[in-house]
Amino acid sequence: RSIIDTSQRARAMTSAQGAPSATRAMRSSRSSRASASGAREARQRRTMVTMFGTLMRRRARARCARAMDSFDVGGDRADGADEPTCVYGEGDWRNAAFEASMGASQLDAHEALERVKTYAMKVSYDGERYVGFQYQGETKKTIQGELERCLMKLTGNDRDGLKLGASGRTDSGVHARGQIVHFYAKKPLEDLRRAKKAMNGMLPDDIRVDEFWEPHPLFHARFHATRKTYWYYLDARETADAFSRKYAHQVGWKPPDLDILRQACSMLVGTMDYQSFCNTSRDKAKNETQNTVRTIYRMDVVEEPHTGLVRVEVEGSGFLYRQVRNMIGALLVVATGRYSFDDLQRIIDAKDRKIAPMGAPAKGLFLMRVDYPKRVLTPPVGRDGDGDDD
């Protein structure tokens, strides 16, 4: 009887202890369902806000489209069109920043630094032999290093005096046909045509100065850029061309379906968070604070009958570190059947570089064009009596 009583007491204690556990489990289950429901509602709200924001931005871009036609790059300047009021699109905070950067106080500060003249160049280069555009010390071969070496001879300025800047710092192996750079000089260059010839005489054969001109004194090649256009070349032929191997990604072993490639490209057009296509920078502080939202205006697939190559043209407001190459890599796995459109959408939504496919190689990428407001491309009229609109 004592054994039976002990057993009954044990079962009673276990039951008493289990009741709160069961209650907690039920509460936890209800809480989980409520949390899941709240998360779904939050996602739906974010989706609605994103869709509304995208719609508003598209309307703003449409209103500015005609005005943006008066913008251009380097020497191909627009012919007398009025400066649009929406440099970056209506409602964009960068419009106020642009106006502030072009103010009279900025010009006075600029002259106080003995920056007598500002000059700009349109540069093309074959990036194969270089570790990128940005200067990385005397021991590494860079585009900036070569340009500065020649400009120091041309102007007599040192690197600190030149303060050479570019529209973007292309990565190792990336090429350019429309890179824009600016630099400062302490005295005017008398003949810019001769200066251009002198630069090309001193530069290596794989770097060329295509245009050399005097912009607005406050012109900044990076901060004043409104749009950039990259082209990425693919060689999808079964037998690749031996002479395009350095400038096109050879994918003939499993050629992409171009119709699927075009559909996949359309999924990446718009204003969205491209974090899944952004490599981590070596600057940890930048990784923590960087805004990864960008706008891509178009992403077109063009077949070149005269070369047999396929190019993907990407035009956007700006690009993250290795963004274009990473997008091309993701598009190719969709166009070759390894991933579906749903997989691509999941990659976009995840905002996680770790789940996205490997990026495409650098050799197929070209910086083709950079657009600026017309106002920054010519010296201001009437400033100290010099400078006329081209």
Side-chain angles (χ1 to χ4, degrees):
R1 185 180 298 113
S2 63
I3 294 174
I4 293 173
D5 291 343
T6 302
S7 176
Q8 289 174 345
R9 284 196 298 272
R11 283 197 298 270
M13 290 175 65
T14 302
S15 176
Q17 292 172 355
S21 299
T23 302
R24 284 195 298 271
M26 291 175 64
R27 290 175 180 171
S28 176
S29 176
R30 285 196 297 269
S31 176
S32 298
R33 287 197 296 271
S35 177
S37 177
R40 281 195 300 272
E41 291 177 0
R43 284 196 298 270
Q44 290 172 355
R45 285 195 297 270
R46 286 197 298 269
T47 301
M48 292 294 291
V49 169
T50 302
M51 291 173 63
F52 179 76
T54 301
L55 178 61
M56 293 299 100
R57 284 186 288 268
R58 286 177 179 173
R59 289 180 176 176
R61 288 199 301 272
R63 287 192 293 269
C64 289
R66 186 168 298 177
M68 290 295 287
D69 288 340
S70 66
F71 289 19
D72 214 334
V73 65
D76 300 328
R77 293 185 280 275
D79 51 355
D82 292 337
E83 187 69 27
T85 57
C86 51
V87 173
Y88 297 97
E90 292 182 5
D92 195 313
W93 64 268
R94 291 177 296 175
N95 290 318
F98 173 77
E99 291 302 325
S101 75
M102 300 296 289
S105 60
Q106 292 293 325
L107 197 56
D108 293 337
H110 177 84
E111 292 176 349
L113 294 171
E114 297 184 352
R115 295 172 179 174
V116 176
K117 287 290 184 180
T118 302
Y119 293 103
M121 299 184 294
K122 180 179 177 182
V123 183
S124 58
Y125 49 83
D126 179 339
E128 183 188 24
R129 296 193 308 120
Y130 301 90
V131 296
F133 182 91
Q134 186 178 16
Y135 180 78
Q136 299 180 38
E138 296 293 336
T139 60
K140 293 188 177 180
K141 210 169 185 63
T142 64
I143 306 297
Q144 182 177 352
E146 292 297 321
L147 290 173
E148 288 177 339
R149 175 181 62 82
C150 300
L151 285 172
M152 285 190 287
K153 295 179 181 178
L154 183 70
T155 65
N157 289 13
D158 57 13
R159 288 191 67 250
D160 290 336
L162 289 171
K163 291 292 182 185
L164 185 141
S167 65
R169 297 171 293 184
T170 54
D171 204 9
S172 175
V174 175
H175 317 293
R177 287 191 179 275
Q179 175 71 280
I180 305 297
V181 303
H182 75 272
F183 67 93
Y184 306 118
K186 294 183 178 179
K187 59 182 180 180
L189 298 173
E190 294 182 359
D191 188 336
L192 297 188
R193 183 174 296 180
R194 290 185 62 185
K196 172 185 166 183
K197 288 183 177 180
M199 287 293 292
N200 285 329
M202 292 184 284
L203 284 167
D205 291 341
D206 50 7
I207 304 176
R208 295 290 89 182
V209 175
D210 299 316
E211 298 177 25
F212 200 130
W213 81 98
E214 182 184 353
H216 192 285
L218 298 176
F219 171 70
H220 196 288
R222 178 185 173 193
F223 297 138
H224 287 150
T226 57
R227 297 190 182 203
K228 294 180 184 178
T229 302
Y230 282 91
W231 288 4
Y232 194 93
Y233 282 95
L234 302 170
D235 189 344
R237 293 169 290 190
E238 184 177 355
T239 302
D241 181 12
F243 297 100
S244 69
R245 71 189 187 282
K246 295 196 299 182
Y247 308 107
H249 181 24
Q250 297 178 337
V251 293
W253 57 275
K254 193 172 184 180
D257 184 311
L258 297 188
D259 290 333
I260 295 178
L261 182 61
R262 289 186 176 94
Q263 293 179 56
C265 284
S266 68
M267 296 174 64
L268 294 174
V269 175
T271 300
M272 64 183 80
D273 191 330
Y274 291 94
Q275 188 171 348
S276 291
F277 305 100
C278 174
N279 276 29
T280 302
S281 171
R282 284 171 286 188
D283 184 347
K284 294 183 178 179
K286 181 179 179 181
N287 294 327
E288 295 173 357
T289 60
Q290 185 178 28
N291 179 7
T292 51
V293 175
R294 296 290 186 274
T295 298
I296 293 182
Y297 301 109
R298 66 182 183 91
M299 201 166 188
D300 299 328
V301 179
V302 180
E303 298 178 69
E304 295 185 350
H306 58 290
T307 65
L309 300 177
V310 175
R311 71 174 185 264
V312 181
E313 300 181 1
V314 189
E315 181 180 348
S317 60
F319 296 93
L320 302 165
Y321 181 42
R322 294 195 179 177
Q323 179 183 346
V324 176
R325 290 167 56 190
N326 290 335
M327 290 192 302
I328 296 294
L331 292 169
L332 286 175
V333 296
V334 175
T336 54
R338 289 174 54 197
Y339 281 27
S340 66
F341 293 126
D342 289 340
D343 292 329
L344 179 58
Q345 190 60 54
R346 277 193 288 272
I347 292 171
I348 297 170
D349 294 339
K351 301 178 181 60
D352 184 357
R353 178 71 193 113
K354 294 178 182 178
I355 71 168
M358 183 174 65
K363 64 180 181 179
L365 185 61
F366 287 75
L367 173 59
M368 295 299 296
R369 177 187 176 95
V370 186
D371 293 323
Y372 297 94
K374 177 177 177 283
R375 179 177 167 188
V376 303
L377 294 176
T378 55
V381 177
R383 182 76 178 185
D384 294 333
D386 63 353
D388 293 314
D389 285 336
D390 264 2

